[in-house]
Amino acid sequence: MTLATGSPIRVEQHDGWTELVLQRPERRNALDISTAETMLELLSGDPAAAERRVLLLRGDGPVFCAGLDLKAMHSADPDEWINGFFQHWLPLHASLARLEIPVVCAMQGAAINAGAALALAADFLISDEDAYLQLGEVRQGLAAPIGTGWLVLRHSAALARRIALRGDRVPGPELVRLGIAHDCAPSGRALERARALAAELSALPPQGVHRTITGLHAAAGAEDPLDYFTRLSDAVAMRQMPGFTAARIDAHPQALSERP
């Protein structure tokens, strides 16, 4: 896939791993339909190629991802925008779940709501010590089906309840204590440590990694990932319910500008 000028995603190739970079820093890397569509197209290629033994997700600028781009959503018909976004968002997470290579995420600043779901999709989450993750939909009268779904897949239903039902900010050190994050780096060094881990993982025998991930997929259950995430989103009416979803998403739980 050839990315057009101004693409919301940048691809950086390294020796053994590929970085997908959210590059909308002026919007704190908030997710719009184009971002979800582009990521899905990139992941629909051949991520298991020799030069792609590891995938590293990161954001450009001081914030990993502030969630949905509310300005873009409300500049269109919000309900149609949400439905259009989910047409790419659900297959994107299904593609991440099907990958046969490790996924690492470097999290700086914050990962909020949909941004948190993206961070939780990684096999290894590396957080700056002053960064935080927040599934805050419950504070908006909503649910967090994708983020909750990843927590259940990666961790446990009990931990998913702790994160999703409180909807509070969970800082980097707490993410490590809870087992959600693999590592917590000094401020500004999450990417450095994430790249070091990506290099380490990419040096492993590819066949061993493939077989291990295949076994992990089998252990997680037989349900197709797209069916899984679709079932979760439909269960909480996140799609195709005009007047509920989009009308209620009017602000982040706590604006990033309010951070102490």
Side-chain angles (χ1 to χ4, degrees):
M1 176 183 178
T2 302
L3 297 176
T5 302
S7 170
I9 302 294
R10 183 170 75 251
V11 178
E12 296 184 3
Q13 297 289 358
H14 295 263
D15 185 15
W17 78 90
T18 298
E19 293 182 18
L20 295 189
V21 187
L22 302 173
Q23 59 170 4
R24 304 183 71 222
E26 74 285 354
R27 298 293 302 151
R28 297 186 175 92
N29 294 321
L31 301 164
D32 61 2
I33 293 175
S34 177
T35 305
E37 181 180 18
T38 303
M39 288 190 71
L40 175 59
E41 290 179 0
L42 288 168
L43 291 174
S44 297
D46 183 14
E51 71 277 11
R52 289 189 182 184
R53 294 193 292 273
V54 178
L55 178 67
L56 194 157
L57 302 175
R58 68 180 180 92
D60 196 6
V63 174
F64 171 68
C65 181
L68 296 185
D69 188 334
L70 304 181
K71 182 178 180 181
M73 182 179 71
H74 288 294
S75 67
D77 179 280
D79 295 301
E80 290 184 4
W81 191 95
I82 284 291
N83 287 330
F85 179 81
F86 266 76
Q87 287 177 7
H88 305 291
W89 188 237
L90 294 176
L92 166 59
H93 284 275
S95 295
L96 286 167
R98 294 188 187 110
L99 283 181
E100 296 180 351
I101 58 174
V103 180
V104 179
C105 177
M107 189 182 85
Q108 80 281 19
I112 298 174
N113 293 6
L118 195 57
L120 291 168
D123 299 292
F124 300 92
L125 175 60
I126 312 295
S127 173
D128 276 342
E129 63 183 0
D130 57 353
Y132 67 89
L133 181 144
Q134 184 174 24
L135 281 181
E137 284 92 340
V138 68
R139 296 176 179 239
Q140 300 166 293
L142 298 170
I146 309 304
T148 301
W150 278 116
L151 282 167
V152 172
L153 279 178
R154 300 285 196 217
H155 306 284
S156 69
L159 190 52
R161 284 174 167 81
R162 182 263 177 261
I163 302 299
L165 281 175
R166 293 188 66 187
D168 59 342
R169 297 177 178 184
V170 186
E174 180 71 359
L175 291 172
V176 172
R177 189 188 71 79
L178 291 170
I180 296 173
H182 174 73
D183 192 10
C184 182
S187 179
R189 296 187 62 185
L191 178 57
E192 174 187 339
R193 291 198 181 177
R195 283 175 169 168
L197 178 59
E200 174 189 332
L201 294 169
S202 68
L204 295 172
Q207 187 178 45
V209 172
H210 171 74
R211 288 177 171 175
T212 300
I213 292 179
T214 298
L216 290 168
H217 286 173
E223 187 173 11
D224 178 79
L226 183 57
D227 291 341
Y228 174 71
F229 288 116
T230 300
R231 174 171 59 83
L232 296 182
S233 65
D234 284 346
V236 297
M238 285 297 289
R239 301 186 304 146
Q240 300 173 345
M241 192 170 180
F244 175 74
T245 302
R248 298 289 291 278
I249 304 178
D250 54 5
H252 290 307
Q254 289 174 290
L256 288 169
S257 60
E258 296 173 1
R259 291 184 63 195

